[in-house]
Amino acid sequence: MDRAARARLTRDILIGMFTGLLLGSLVHWLDISEDGVISVYFVNGLFDIGGSIFIASLKLLVVPLVFFSLACGASNLSDGAKMGRIGGKTVLLYLLTTAIAISLALLIATTIDPGVGIHLATNAEFAAREAPSMKQVLVDIFPTNPLRAMAEGNMLQVIVFAILIGVAVSKCGEPGVRVRNSLNDWNEVVMRLILMLMQVAPIGVFCLMVTLFANMGFEAIGDLFKYFFTVVLVLAVHFALTYSLLIRFLAGLSPLDFYRKFAPVMAYAFSTSSSNATLPITLETVEHRLGVKNEVASFTVPLGATINMDGTAIMQGVATVFIAQAFSIDISLTGYLMVIVTATLASIGTAGVPGVGLITLALVLQQVGLPVEGIALIIGVDRLLDMMRTAVNVTGDATVATIVARTEGQLDMAVFESRND
Ligand code: ASP
């Protein structure tokens, strides 16, 4: 896609997002009957079908993309020590950004006190799911059956399998060269599929936004005003401050260039509420607009979509403080440290799909002895917060990918600095 076409596409996606948001909000505001023509045939008919097909097509690409892209990347990185360094740096940065995110959340939430004076709904109900043990999470990273891992979309297992294949290919001499060429060709084909899908993205994003906002219950924000805006405030601070400082000081790059190029991906993340579904677009943008070489991007981005959720951790930090205050339970300093550690670890092994943050929140609450039913209090506004925190989640992935690439000499500066797209 040439630069002018890309610029047009970015503009169209943003237009699709905002017009969808406005139209959906208008439908919601007019309070149109659920059995009426507009609701049945358009909002929950045509637009819902369009949005669902768009999400399905994005998801369709995730497994083939991660496999081919990462196997290619690993097969090109024949230097084992370098691979280990990139892996270590990536995981460390993901943990660091998440720990900063949740610390910010706790700091700001304990200053604003969003839960003080809240009157509890006595019928609050939330059934917590059984949390997997840390041991199980670690063992489950390794696949026993790669096809099942792919069929179930188990991203960490697909990542491990792809890396192993890539490493084997790089050590195989002549046959390895043939397989690598074929993997590179397949990677090109999947990338082309993403570009084809991006052509219809403005319509897909528009459909998703109309349906979501027409059906969204904004009334809940009224009671949870302070909670809602505390989460939004911390998300904004982390997004605008933490990431720009890291990009500026760890990578020595202009944060403005980074945000400008990455903006369309945030629109996808916002409208799909899923880091996983956004993954094809994140990877395409990180490689072709930010200039991160495939060797680094193919590993950092899929891993980030699965284990790095800064926005989710922020929601969990604020929610913990909110629920503790609403139930008038004091959390000690060790309790807060527990929250930081658990929320940072909780996101590992949980796929980036809509609403998963609430499930892992149960884990965090249990760790510090807070009632899990408290989650019922905040469910009403979670849909909208999910959209915003997913946009922050994917930005965190791209930030780390850019820093790792820059410090490893794997960032194409000509692409990063080009201003024509
Ligand atoms: N929807 C988020 C994501 O996919 C996860 C969550 O916070 O629920 O990144």
Side-chain angles (χ1 to χ4, degrees), residues 17-71:
M17 185 173 107
F18 284 112
T19 46
L21 193 152
L22 287 178
L23 187 62
S25 306
L26 184 72
V27 171
H28 183 83
W29 179 67
L30 290 175
D31 204 11
I32 287 166
S33 134
E34 279 181 17
D35 312 322
V37 175
I38 293 194
S39 184
V40 173
Y41 291 104
F42 289 95
V43 175
N44 295 312
L46 190 67
F47 295 140
D48 195 20
I49 294 173
S52 303
I53 293 178
F54 179 60
I55 295 232
S57 327
L58 279 171
K59 285 189 182 159
L60 156 89
L61 293 172
V62 172
V63 169
L65 175 70
V66 171
F67 178 74
F68 287 119
S69 179
L70 194 47

Side-chain angles (χ1 to χ4, degrees), residues 19-358:
T19 46
L21 193 152
L22 287 178
L23 187 62
S25 306
L26 184 72
V27 171
H28 183 83
W29 179 67
L30 290 175
D31 204 11
I32 287 166
S33 134
E34 279 181 17
D35 312 322
V37 175
I38 293 194
S39 184
V40 173
Y41 291 104
F42 289 95
V43 175
N44 295 312
L46 190 67
F47 295 140
D48 195 20
I49 294 173
S52 303
I53 293 178
F54 179 60
I55 295 232
S57 327
L58 279 171
K59 285 189 182 159
L60 156 89
L61 293 172
V62 172
V63 169
L65 175 70
V66 171
F67 178 74
F68 287 119
S69 179
L70 194 47
C72 268
S75 70
N76 289 326
L77 263 181
S78 44
D79 178 353
K82 190 169 180 184
M83 235 165 116
R85 208 175 49 234
I86 291 180
K89 229 185 237 183
T90 306
V91 173
L92 214 78
L93 278 169
Y94 279 148
L95 292 177
L96 176 78
T97 50
T98 309
I100 296 177
I102 182 134
S103 307
L104 268 177
L106 292 177
L107 201 75
I108 297 180
T110 44
T111 312
I112 295 183
D113 289 339
V116 171
I118 290 284
H119 300 296
L120 287 180
T122 44
N123 58 348
E125 254 178 45
F126 183 84
R129 284 217 215 143
E130 188 72 37
S133 68
M134 205 56 214
K135 177 180 157 199
Q136 201 53 43
V137 170
L138 281 178
V139 172
D140 283 349
I141 293 177
F142 296 88
T144 48
N145 180 340
L147 290 187
R148 191 171 61 214
M150 289 183 186
E152 288 173 351
N154 186 327
M155 218 38 69
L156 287 181
Q157 294 192 352
V158 177
I159 288 174
V160 169
F161 181 61
I163 292 178
L164 289 177
I165 292 283
V167 171
V169 166
S170 74
K171 295 188 182 307
C172 251
E174 189 54 34
V177 173
R178 285 197 299 272
V179 178
R180 183 189 304 152
N181 287 342
S182 161
L183 284 173
N184 279 331
D185 290 347
W186 271 106
N187 195 28
E188 285 292 313
V189 171
V190 178
M191 281 289 180
R192 173 60 54 180
L193 256 173
I194 297 174
L195 287 181
M196 283 160 56
L197 183 62
M198 281 168 83
Q199 307 292 332
V200 294
I203 304 171
V205 167
F206 171 80
C207 289
L208 283 172
M209 295 305 274
V210 176
T211 319
L212 270 169
F213 278 81
N215 292 319
M216 185 106 68
F218 292 106
E219 300 76 17
I221 296 182
D223 307 332
L224 294 168
F225 184 84
K226 265 178 120 181
Y227 164 74
F228 184 86
F229 282 99
T230 311
V231 178
V232 175
L233 176 70
V234 189
L235 287 175
V237 170
H238 189 64
F239 175 82
L241 229 72
T242 313
Y243 294 147
S244 7
L245 290 176
L246 290 175
I247 290 279
R248 163 66 69 214
F249 293 109
L250 289 188
L253 297 167
S254 149
L256 280 184
D257 281 345
F258 171 81
Y259 288 129
R260 185 172 53 81
K261 291 179 173 239
F262 197 67
V265 185
M266 294 174 215
Y268 283 97
F270 186 78
S271 35
T272 59
S273 293
S274 165
S275 322
N276 259 14
T278 313
L279 177 58
I281 317 287
T282 317
L283 193 57
E284 205 275 338
T285 306
V286 165
E287 281 189 27
H288 297 115
R289 295 192 81 193
L290 292 175
V292 176
K293 299 253 170 74
N294 169 266
E295 285 83 338
V296 170
S298 65
F299 171 67
T300 46
V301 175
L303 188 70
T306 315
I307 72 163
N308 183 50
M309 294 181 189
D310 295 354
T312 305
I314 286 172
M315 176 280 283
Q316 293 177 339
V318 177
T320 308
V321 173
F322 174 79
I323 291 170
Q325 292 177 342
F327 281 89
S328 307
I329 299 172
D330 272 337
I331 306 181
S332 61
L333 190 64
T334 13
Y336 282 123
L337 289 177
M338 282 285 263
V339 173
I340 296 179
V341 176
T342 332
T344 308
L345 295 180
S347 52
I348 299 176
T350 341
V353 292
V356 77
L358 278 191

Side-chain angles (χ1 to χ4, degrees), residues 350-370:
T350 341
V353 292
V356 77
L358 278 191
I359 296 168
T360 43
L361 174 61
L363 225 145
V364 178
L365 294 179
Q366 275 165 349
Q367 269 310 313
V368 284
L370 288 174

